[in-house]
Amino acid sequence: MFNRKGIKAFVIDDFSMRVQNVYDKNTGAVVLTVSGETDEVNRQLMSMKNAQMKTLVITNTASSTAAKLAGQALCYYVPSERNEFFYSSATQVPVIYILERLVDEIEKMMIE
């Protein structure tokens, strides 16, 4: 999404990777988390905060730990349940919409 608009971006979907060396105040992160309570994600957010990175968390609730750790949080408040196999019913439609709009706004800022 970001790369196709000319915005340098990469995805980290496994926080067991060693990514701390990319954390600095000139780097920004968009963190996606439904619950905002995943220990691995919140540890990385704390590392980003300590490195003075700009962080935006997109999550389902403003009261989550991740939302509180982030520089900014966008929350979408969609009901979510887990079945007996712990699969979440959370839809990602609001997240995709938010990301698309975010990319469009960043692109506009780059053009100006």
Side-chain angles (χ1 to χ4, degrees), residues 23-83:
Y23 294 170
D24 67 44
K25 64 183 180 180
N26 296 317
T27 305
V30 177
V31 178
L32 310 177
T33 172
V34 175
S35 73
E37 299 300 338
T38 308
D39 289 337
E40 296 83 1
V41 171
N42 290 335
R43 277 196 300 272
Q44 295 303 318
L45 275 166
M46 184 58 74
S47 294
M48 292 172 189
K49 185 175 183 173
N50 290 338
Q52 300 178 338
M53 280 181 63
K54 295 161 193 72
T55 54
L56 169 65
V57 168
I58 301 174
T59 187
N60 198 33
T61 174
S63 62
S64 69
T65 302
K68 292 175 184 174
L69 286 171
Q72 297 289 318
L74 291 174
C75 305
Y76 49 90
Y77 306 107
V78 174
S80 174
E81 296 178 5
R82 292 193 178 272
N83 68 13

